[in-house]
Protein backbone atom coordinates (compact mmCIF):
# COMPACT_ATOMS: atom_id res chain seq x y z
CA UNK A 1 0.00 0.00 0.00
CA UNK A 2 1.61 3.22 -1.15
CA UNK A 3 -0.84 6.06 -1.34
CA UNK A 4 0.52 8.77 -3.56
CA UNK A 5 -2.72 10.59 -4.41
CA UNK A 6 -3.83 14.13 -3.94
CA UNK A 7 -5.18 13.16 -0.61
CA UNK A 8 -3.82 10.90 2.10
CA UNK A 9 -5.34 7.48 2.60
CA UNK A 10 -7.35 7.51 5.78
CA UNK A 11 -10.34 6.20 7.61
CA UNK A 12 -12.76 8.17 5.48
CA UNK A 13 -11.03 7.76 2.13
CA UNK A 14 -12.81 4.53 1.38
CA UNK A 15 -16.11 6.12 2.35
CA UNK A 16 -15.49 9.14 0.18
CA UNK A 17 -14.77 6.88 -2.80
CA UNK A 18 -18.07 5.06 -2.22
CA UNK A 19 -19.91 8.37 -2.06
CA UNK A 20 -18.20 9.59 -5.24
CA UNK A 21 -19.10 6.32 -6.96
CA UNK A 22 -22.72 6.68 -5.89
CA UNK A 23 -22.84 10.18 -7.38
CA UNK A 24 -21.03 9.13 -10.55
CA UNK A 25 -23.26 6.08 -11.19
CA UNK A 26 -26.37 8.20 -10.61
CA UNK A 27 -25.06 10.95 -12.88
CA UNK A 28 -23.68 9.07 -15.89
CA UNK A 29 -24.91 5.51 -15.38
CA UNK A 30 -22.93 2.33 -14.83
CA UNK A 31 -21.52 1.96 -18.33
CA UNK A 32 -19.99 5.43 -18.63
CA UNK A 33 -18.60 5.55 -15.10
CA UNK A 34 -14.97 4.46 -14.74
CA UNK A 35 -12.68 3.96 -11.77
CA UNK A 36 -10.77 6.97 -13.13
CA UNK A 37 -13.84 9.24 -13.28
CA UNK A 38 -14.86 8.12 -9.81
CA UNK A 39 -11.36 8.86 -8.50
CA UNK A 40 -11.51 12.32 -10.06
CA UNK A 41 -14.86 13.01 -8.43
CA UNK A 42 -13.53 11.80 -5.05
CA UNK A 43 -10.36 13.85 -5.45
CA UNK A 44 -8.09 10.84 -4.94
CA UNK A 45 -5.53 9.06 -7.04
CA UNK A 46 -7.01 6.25 -9.19
CA UNK A 47 -4.53 3.85 -7.57
CA UNK A 48 -6.31 4.39 -4.28
CA UNK A 49 -9.62 3.29 -5.80
CA UNK A 50 -7.90 0.15 -7.08
CA UNK A 51 -6.41 -0.36 -3.65
CA UNK A 52 -9.79 -0.39 -1.91
CA UNK A 53 -11.97 -1.99 -4.58
CA UNK A 54 -11.49 -4.95 -6.88
CA UNK A 55 -12.90 -3.27 -9.98
CA UNK A 56 -16.11 -1.51 -10.97
CA UNK A 57 -18.49 -4.41 -10.14
CA UNK A 58 -17.15 -4.50 -6.59
CA UNK A 59 -17.63 -0.76 -6.18
CA UNK A 60 -21.15 -1.03 -7.57
CA UNK A 61 -21.96 -3.74 -5.04
CA UNK A 62 -20.77 -1.43 -2.27
CA UNK A 63 -22.82 1.50 -3.53
CA UNK A 64 -25.97 -0.60 -3.82
CA UNK A 65 -25.31 -2.16 -0.39
CA UNK A 66 -25.73 -5.51 -2.08
CA UNK A 67 -25.64 -8.44 0.35
CA UNK A 68 -23.09 -10.21 -1.85
CA UNK A 69 -20.04 -9.55 -3.99
CA UNK A 70 -20.91 -8.90 -7.63
CA UNK A 71 -17.33 -9.76 -8.60
CA UNK A 72 -17.60 -13.17 -6.97
CA UNK A 73 -20.95 -13.79 -8.65
CA UNK A 74 -19.51 -12.89 -12.05
CA UNK A 75 -16.54 -15.19 -11.47
CA UNK A 76 -18.91 -18.06 -10.61
CA UNK A 77 -20.98 -17.49 -13.72
CA UNK A 78 -17.87 -17.33 -15.87
CA UNK A 79 -16.50 -20.58 -14.52
CA UNK A 80 -19.75 -22.58 -14.51
CA UNK A 81 -19.95 -25.35 -17.14
CA UNK A 82 -22.24 -24.26 -19.99
CA UNK A 83 -24.91 -26.78 -19.10
CA UNK A 84 -24.96 -25.50 -15.49
CA UNK A 85 -25.48 -21.80 -16.16
CA UNK A 86 -29.21 -21.81 -15.36
CA UNK A 87 -28.62 -23.78 -12.19
CA UNK A 88 -25.72 -21.54 -11.09
CA UNK A 89 -27.69 -18.38 -11.70
CA UNK A 90 -30.80 -19.62 -9.88
CA UNK A 91 -28.81 -20.90 -6.91
CA UNK A 92 -26.85 -17.67 -6.57
CA UNK A 93 -29.92 -15.52 -6.93
CA UNK A 94 -32.05 -17.19 -4.29
CA UNK A 95 -29.20 -17.88 -1.90
CA UNK A 96 -28.16 -14.24 -2.00
CA UNK A 97 -31.57 -12.60 -1.55
CA UNK A 98 -33.27 -15.14 0.68
CA UNK A 99 -31.98 -13.90 4.04
CA UNK A 100 -33.63 -11.09 6.01
CA UNK A 101 -30.98 -8.54 4.96
CA UNK A 102 -31.31 -9.50 1.30
CA UNK A 103 -35.09 -9.18 1.38
CA UNK A 104 -34.98 -5.71 2.86
CA UNK A 105 -32.37 -4.61 0.35
CA UNK A 106 -34.22 -6.14 -2.59
CA UNK A 107 -37.41 -4.39 -1.63
CA UNK A 108 -35.58 -1.07 -1.34
CA UNK A 109 -34.06 -1.55 -4.79
CA UNK A 110 -37.44 -2.34 -6.37
CA UNK A 111 -39.05 0.67 -4.72
CA UNK A 112 -36.20 2.92 -5.83
CA UNK A 113 -36.34 1.70 -9.43
CA UNK A 114 -40.10 2.26 -9.56
CA UNK A 115 -40.00 5.77 -8.18
CA UNK A 116 -36.81 7.18 -9.69
CA UNK A 117 -35.81 6.68 -13.31
CA UNK A 118 -32.26 7.68 -12.45
CA UNK A 119 -32.07 4.87 -9.90
CA UNK A 120 -33.00 2.31 -12.53
CA UNK A 121 -30.24 3.26 -14.97
CA UNK A 122 -27.10 2.03 -13.17
CA UNK A 123 -28.87 -1.18 -12.15
CA UNK A 124 -30.05 -2.04 -15.63
CA UNK A 125 -26.66 -1.14 -17.10
CA UNK A 126 -24.91 -3.33 -14.54
CA UNK A 127 -27.24 -6.20 -15.42
CA UNK A 128 -26.82 -5.55 -19.12
CA UNK A 129 -23.10 -4.94 -19.28
CA UNK A 130 -21.86 -7.35 -16.68
CA UNK A 131 -24.19 -10.10 -15.69
CA UNK A 132 -26.47 -11.12 -18.50
CA UNK A 133 -24.46 -10.17 -21.52
CA UNK A 134 -21.52 -12.07 -20.19
CA UNK A 135 -23.60 -15.11 -19.40
CA UNK A 136 -25.63 -15.11 -22.59
CA UNK A 137 -22.71 -14.57 -24.93
CA UNK A 138 -21.21 -17.81 -23.62
CA UNK A 139 -24.15 -19.66 -25.13
CA UNK A 140 -22.99 -23.13 -26.08
CA UNK A 141 -19.40 -22.01 -26.35
CA UNK A 142 -19.96 -19.64 -29.24
CA UNK A 143 -20.77 -15.96 -28.98
CA UNK A 144 -24.31 -14.83 -29.74
CA UNK A 145 -24.90 -11.49 -31.45
CA UNK A 146 -24.90 -8.91 -28.66
CA UNK A 147 -28.50 -7.78 -29.23
CA UNK A 148 -29.76 -11.35 -28.96
CA UNK A 149 -27.62 -12.00 -25.90
CA UNK A 150 -29.09 -8.96 -24.16
CA UNK A 151 -32.63 -9.91 -25.17
CA UNK A 152 -32.16 -13.41 -23.78
CA UNK A 153 -30.52 -12.01 -20.69
CA UNK A 154 -33.56 -9.79 -20.16
CA UNK A 155 -35.94 -12.75 -20.35
CA UNK A 156 -33.90 -14.60 -17.71
CA UNK A 157 -33.63 -11.52 -15.51
CA UNK A 158 -37.37 -11.01 -15.88
CA UNK A 159 -38.09 -14.55 -14.69
CA UNK A 160 -35.98 -14.07 -11.56
CA UNK A 161 -37.17 -10.54 -10.80
CA UNK A 162 -40.84 -11.45 -11.18
CA UNK A 163 -40.61 -14.49 -8.92
CA UNK A 164 -38.63 -12.42 -6.39
CA UNK A 165 -41.37 -9.78 -6.34
CA UNK A 166 -44.07 -12.41 -5.79
CA UNK A 167 -42.03 -14.20 -3.10
CA UNK A 168 -40.40 -11.32 -1.21
CA UNK A 169 -42.69 -8.34 -1.81
CA UNK A 170 -46.22 -9.26 -2.88
CA UNK A 171 -46.46 -12.36 -0.67
CA UNK A 172 -47.96 -14.67 -3.32
CA UNK A 173 -48.32 -17.69 -1.11
CA UNK A 174 -47.18 -20.79 -2.89
CA UNK A 175 -43.98 -18.96 -3.80
CA UNK A 176 -43.44 -17.55 -0.32
CA UNK A 177 -43.36 -20.91 1.41
CA UNK A 178 -41.60 -22.80 -1.38
CA UNK A 179 -38.09 -23.92 -0.48
CA UNK A 180 -35.11 -22.42 -2.25
CA UNK A 181 -34.38 -25.91 -3.62
CA UNK A 182 -37.86 -26.15 -5.15
CA UNK A 183 -37.44 -22.75 -6.78
CA UNK A 184 -34.04 -23.67 -8.16
CA UNK A 185 -35.35 -26.97 -9.51
CA UNK A 186 -38.27 -25.23 -11.20
CA UNK A 187 -36.37 -22.28 -12.64
CA UNK A 188 -32.92 -23.60 -13.57
CA UNK A 189 -34.15 -25.26 -16.80
CA UNK A 190 -36.10 -22.13 -17.76
CA UNK A 191 -33.06 -19.89 -17.24
CA UNK A 192 -30.91 -22.39 -19.10
CA UNK A 193 -33.36 -22.27 -22.02
CA UNK A 194 -33.35 -18.49 -22.05
CA UNK A 195 -29.59 -18.09 -21.85
CA UNK A 196 -28.05 -20.99 -23.67
CA UNK A 197 -28.74 -21.76 -27.31
CA UNK A 198 -28.59 -25.51 -27.80
CA UNK A 199 -27.92 -27.34 -31.03
CA UNK A 200 -31.55 -28.47 -31.14
CA UNK A 201 -32.62 -24.79 -31.02
CA UNK A 202 -30.39 -24.16 -34.00
CA UNK A 203 -31.89 -27.09 -35.84
CA UNK A 204 -35.46 -26.00 -35.10
CA UNK B 1 -84.19 -3.16 -14.57
CA UNK B 2 -86.23 -3.11 -11.39
CA UNK B 3 -84.38 -1.53 -8.52
CA UNK B 4 -85.93 -2.64 -5.27
CA UNK B 5 -83.00 -1.92 -2.95
CA UNK B 6 -82.62 0.32 0.01
CA UNK B 7 -81.55 3.10 -2.26
CA UNK B 8 -82.81 4.16 -5.69
CA UNK B 9 -80.72 3.43 -8.79
CA UNK B 10 -79.21 6.65 -10.00
CA UNK B 11 -76.28 8.29 -11.65
CA UNK B 12 -74.02 7.81 -8.65
CA UNK B 13 -75.17 4.32 -7.67
CA UNK B 14 -72.67 2.64 -9.94
CA UNK B 15 -69.90 4.86 -8.59
CA UNK B 16 -70.86 4.18 -5.02
CA UNK B 17 -70.71 0.44 -5.69
CA UNK B 18 -67.20 0.82 -7.13
CA UNK B 19 -66.13 2.81 -4.07
CA UNK B 20 -67.64 0.20 -1.75
CA UNK B 21 -65.86 -2.56 -3.69
CA UNK B 22 -62.55 -0.71 -3.42
CA UNK B 23 -62.99 -0.45 0.36
CA UNK B 24 -64.12 -4.05 0.68
CA UNK B 25 -61.22 -5.49 -1.39
CA UNK B 26 -58.72 -3.40 0.59
CA UNK B 27 -60.28 -4.45 3.88
CA UNK B 28 -60.86 -8.19 3.48
CA UNK B 29 -58.98 -9.03 0.25
CA UNK B 30 -60.31 -10.38 -3.03
CA UNK B 31 -61.13 -13.89 -1.87
CA UNK B 32 -63.31 -12.96 1.11
CA UNK B 33 -65.15 -10.12 -0.61
CA UNK B 34 -68.48 -11.02 -2.20
CA UNK B 35 -70.98 -9.12 -4.30
CA UNK B 36 -73.27 -9.40 -1.29
CA UNK B 37 -70.75 -7.91 1.16
CA UNK B 38 -69.98 -5.12 -1.31
CA UNK B 39 -73.70 -4.38 -1.73
CA UNK B 40 -74.06 -4.22 2.03
CA UNK B 41 -71.18 -1.78 2.29
CA UNK B 42 -72.64 0.36 -0.48
CA UNK B 43 -76.08 0.26 1.10
CA UNK B 44 -77.72 -1.09 -2.05
CA UNK B 45 -79.59 -4.25 -2.94
CA UNK B 46 -77.29 -7.06 -4.22
CA UNK B 47 -79.42 -7.21 -7.39
CA UNK B 48 -78.20 -3.72 -8.25
CA UNK B 49 -74.59 -4.84 -8.07
CA UNK B 50 -75.43 -7.69 -10.44
CA UNK B 51 -77.22 -5.23 -12.67
CA UNK B 52 -74.16 -3.04 -13.09
CA UNK B 53 -71.34 -5.60 -12.96
CA UNK B 54 -70.91 -9.00 -14.53
CA UNK B 55 -69.48 -10.68 -11.45
CA UNK B 56 -66.60 -10.13 -9.04
CA UNK B 57 -63.79 -10.16 -11.65
CA UNK B 58 -65.53 -7.36 -13.59
CA UNK B 59 -65.92 -5.27 -10.44
CA UNK B 60 -62.26 -5.88 -9.57
CA UNK B 61 -61.22 -4.66 -13.02
CA UNK B 62 -63.23 -1.50 -12.45
CA UNK B 63 -61.70 -0.87 -9.02
CA UNK B 64 -58.17 -1.40 -10.33
CA UNK B 65 -58.91 0.79 -13.39
CA UNK B 66 -57.55 -2.08 -15.46
CA UNK B 67 -57.33 -1.25 -19.17
CA UNK B 68 -59.13 -4.49 -20.00
CA UNK B 69 -61.95 -6.72 -18.84
CA UNK B 70 -60.79 -9.43 -16.43
CA UNK B 71 -63.94 -11.42 -17.21
CA UNK B 72 -63.15 -11.41 -20.94
CA UNK B 73 -59.57 -12.44 -20.24
CA UNK B 74 -60.72 -15.32 -18.05
CA UNK B 75 -63.17 -16.44 -20.72
CA UNK B 76 -60.38 -16.45 -23.33
CA UNK B 77 -58.08 -18.46 -21.11
CA UNK B 78 -60.86 -20.94 -20.37
CA UNK B 79 -61.66 -21.47 -24.03
CA UNK B 80 -58.08 -21.64 -25.37
CA UNK B 81 -56.95 -25.10 -26.53
CA UNK B 82 -54.61 -26.64 -23.95
CA UNK B 83 -51.60 -26.38 -26.24
CA UNK B 84 -52.31 -22.67 -26.80
CA UNK B 85 -52.50 -21.53 -23.17
CA UNK B 86 -48.98 -20.04 -23.07
CA UNK B 87 -49.56 -18.26 -26.35
CA UNK B 88 -52.97 -16.93 -25.28
CA UNK B 89 -51.66 -15.67 -21.96
CA UNK B 90 -48.61 -13.95 -23.49
CA UNK B 91 -50.66 -12.33 -26.26
CA UNK B 92 -53.29 -11.04 -23.86
CA UNK B 93 -50.73 -9.77 -21.40
CA UNK B 94 -48.65 -7.73 -23.83
CA UNK B 95 -51.59 -6.54 -25.92
CA UNK B 96 -53.34 -5.28 -22.82
CA UNK B 97 -50.46 -3.45 -21.18
CA UNK B 98 -48.55 -2.23 -24.20
CA UNK B 99 -50.51 0.97 -24.84
CA UNK B 100 -49.76 4.27 -23.08
CA UNK B 101 -52.72 3.89 -20.71
CA UNK B 102 -51.73 0.34 -19.83
CA UNK B 103 -48.15 1.35 -19.08
CA UNK B 104 -49.16 4.14 -16.75
CA UNK B 105 -51.61 1.86 -14.96
CA UNK B 106 -49.13 -1.00 -14.68
CA UNK B 107 -46.52 1.29 -13.18
CA UNK B 108 -49.04 2.60 -10.66
CA UNK B 109 -49.97 -0.95 -9.66
CA UNK B 110 -46.31 -1.96 -9.17
CA UNK B 111 -45.62 1.14 -7.10
CA UNK B 112 -48.70 0.54 -4.99
CA UNK B 113 -47.84 -3.11 -4.36
CA UNK B 114 -44.30 -2.19 -3.32
CA UNK B 115 -45.32 0.53 -0.91
CA UNK B 116 -48.52 -0.85 0.63
CA UNK B 117 -48.89 -4.44 1.74
CA UNK B 118 -52.67 -4.01 1.76
CA UNK B 119 -52.59 -3.05 -1.94
CA UNK B 120 -50.83 -6.29 -2.82
CA UNK B 121 -53.38 -8.56 -1.20
CA UNK B 122 -56.39 -8.18 -3.50
CA UNK B 123 -54.14 -8.33 -6.57
CA UNK B 124 -52.38 -11.51 -5.56
CA UNK B 125 -55.68 -13.10 -4.50
CA UNK B 126 -57.23 -12.20 -7.83
CA UNK B 127 -54.24 -13.72 -9.64
CA UNK B 128 -54.30 -16.76 -7.38
CA UNK B 129 -58.03 -17.41 -7.25
CA UNK B 130 -59.06 -16.46 -10.74
CA UNK B 131 -56.33 -16.30 -13.32
CA UNK B 132 -53.54 -18.73 -12.57
CA UNK B 133 -55.32 -21.38 -10.61
CA UNK B 134 -57.93 -21.69 -13.29
CA UNK B 135 -55.34 -21.86 -16.04
CA UNK B 136 -52.97 -24.19 -14.29
CA UNK B 137 -55.59 -26.64 -13.09
CA UNK B 138 -56.51 -27.24 -16.73
CA UNK B 139 -53.08 -28.74 -17.27
CA UNK B 140 -53.36 -31.34 -20.01
CA UNK B 141 -57.05 -31.82 -19.36
CA UNK B 142 -56.62 -33.20 -15.86
CA UNK B 143 -56.64 -31.20 -12.67
CA UNK B 144 -53.37 -30.62 -10.86
CA UNK B 145 -53.27 -30.54 -7.06
CA UNK B 146 -54.20 -26.97 -6.13
CA UNK B 147 -50.87 -26.21 -4.43
CA UNK B 148 -48.91 -27.25 -7.49
CA UNK B 149 -51.25 -25.33 -9.78
CA UNK B 150 -50.70 -22.18 -7.75
CA UNK B 151 -46.94 -22.71 -7.64
CA UNK B 152 -46.81 -23.13 -11.40
CA UNK B 153 -49.11 -20.15 -11.85
CA UNK B 154 -46.72 -18.08 -9.76
CA UNK B 155 -43.75 -19.03 -11.93
CA UNK B 156 -45.67 -17.96 -15.05
CA UNK B 157 -46.86 -14.75 -13.42
CA UNK B 158 -43.30 -14.06 -12.33
CA UNK B 159 -42.00 -14.41 -15.88
CA UNK B 160 -44.56 -11.92 -17.20
CA UNK B 161 -44.26 -9.47 -14.31
CA UNK B 162 -40.46 -9.39 -14.45
CA UNK B 163 -40.32 -8.80 -18.19
CA UNK B 164 -43.01 -6.11 -17.82
CA UNK B 165 -40.92 -4.33 -15.19
CA UNK B 166 -37.81 -4.41 -17.39
CA UNK B 167 -39.76 -3.27 -20.49
CA UNK B 168 -42.20 -0.73 -19.05
CA UNK B 169 -40.54 0.53 -15.87
CA UNK B 170 -36.79 -0.03 -15.73
CA UNK B 171 -36.19 0.61 -19.45
CA UNK B 172 -33.91 -2.41 -20.02
CA UNK B 173 -33.21 -1.72 -23.66
CA UNK B 174 -33.41 -4.86 -25.69
CA UNK B 175 -36.78 -5.55 -24.08
CA UNK B 176 -38.05 -1.99 -24.53
CA UNK B 177 -37.63 -1.97 -28.30
CA UNK B 178 -38.57 -5.61 -28.85
CA UNK B 179 -41.85 -6.06 -30.71
CA UNK B 180 -44.83 -7.59 -28.96
CA UNK B 181 -44.63 -10.45 -31.46
CA UNK B 182 -41.00 -11.17 -30.52
CA UNK B 183 -41.92 -11.20 -26.84
CA UNK B 184 -44.85 -13.52 -27.43
CA UNK B 185 -42.69 -15.86 -29.51
CA UNK B 186 -40.01 -15.98 -26.82
CA UNK B 187 -42.31 -16.33 -23.82
CA UNK B 188 -45.23 -18.47 -25.00
CA UNK B 189 -43.26 -21.75 -24.77
CA UNK B 190 -41.94 -20.81 -21.33
CA UNK B 191 -45.42 -20.03 -20.02
CA UNK B 192 -46.73 -23.20 -21.61
CA UNK B 193 -43.99 -25.17 -19.83
CA UNK B 194 -44.82 -23.57 -16.50
CA UNK B 195 -48.57 -24.02 -16.74
CA UNK B 196 -49.21 -27.21 -18.63
CA UNK B 197 -47.91 -30.57 -17.50
CA UNK B 198 -47.15 -32.66 -20.56
CA UNK B 199 -46.99 -36.43 -20.74
CA UNK B 200 -43.22 -36.26 -21.14
CA UNK B 201 -43.02 -34.29 -17.86
CA UNK B 202 -44.94 -37.08 -16.20
CA UNK B 203 -42.61 -39.66 -17.63
CA UNK B 204 -39.48 -37.75 -16.61
Amino acid sequence: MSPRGRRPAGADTRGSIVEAARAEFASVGYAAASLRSIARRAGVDPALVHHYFDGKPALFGEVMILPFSPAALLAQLRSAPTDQIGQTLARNFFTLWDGPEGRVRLRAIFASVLTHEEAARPIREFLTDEVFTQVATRADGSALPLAEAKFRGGLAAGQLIGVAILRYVAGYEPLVSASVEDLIAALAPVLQGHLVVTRSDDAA
Side-chain angles (χ1 to χ4, degrees), chain A:
Chain A
M1 174 176 170
S2 59
R4 55 196 164 96
R6 278 145 265 173
R7 181 179 164 155
D12 70 342
T13 304
R14 192 177 186 286
S16 71
I17 292 169
V18 172
E19 281 317 302
R22 188 189 311 283
E24 186 74 359
F25 287 138
S27 164
V28 305
Y30 180 85
S34 66
L35 295 191
R36 181 165 295 274
S37 71
I38 289 165
R40 195 179 311 123
R41 193 182 272 265
V44 302
D45 191 277
L48 257 187
V49 179
H50 283 282
H51 168 72
Y52 283 112
F53 299 99
D54 184 19
K56 193 160 72 161
L59 195 42
F60 183 73
E62 189 86 11
V63 165
M64 297 300 299
I65 326 177
L66 297 179
F68 62 94
S69 152
L73 168 63
L74 292 172
Q76 271 205 286
L77 289 173
R78 261 194 301 270
S79 63
T82 305
D83 64 355
Q84 295 293 310
I85 286 179
Q87 173 83 17
T88 304
L89 186 58
R91 183 166 299 283
N92 269 279
F93 185 85
F94 288 106
T95 306
L96 296 169
W97 297 112
D98 215 62
E101 196 195 334
R103 285 168 192 238
V104 168
R105 193 62 207 143
L106 193 67
R107 191 165 180 142
I109 291 172
F110 284 142
S112 161
V113 164
L114 287 173
T115 48
H116 308 291
E117 159 56 20
E118 66 274 22
R121 190 174 162 201
I123 297 169
R124 81 172 175 247
E125 289 185 355
F126 172 73
L127 286 174
T128 308
D129 294 4
E130 302 279 7
V131 182
F132 288 106
T133 302
Q134 199 169 99
V135 170
T137 49
R138 286 191 48 198
D140 207 20
S142 62
L144 280 178
L146 189 61
E148 190 186 341
K150 289 185 176 181
F151 179 75
R152 287 169 162 275
L155 302 179
Q159 177 70 81
L160 289 172
I161 290 168
V163 167
I165 286 182
L166 291 169
R167 177 176 173 89
Y168 301 125
V169 183
Y172 179 92
E173 180 37 65
L175 295 189
V176 173
S177 60
S179 71
V180 166
E181 291 306 320
D182 282 347
L183 292 170
I184 293 170
L187 292 177
V190 174
L191 300 174
Q192 187 74 16
H194 280 320
L195 293 172
V196 179
V197 178
T198 61
R199 305 229 178 273
S200 65
D201 285 349
D202 287 342

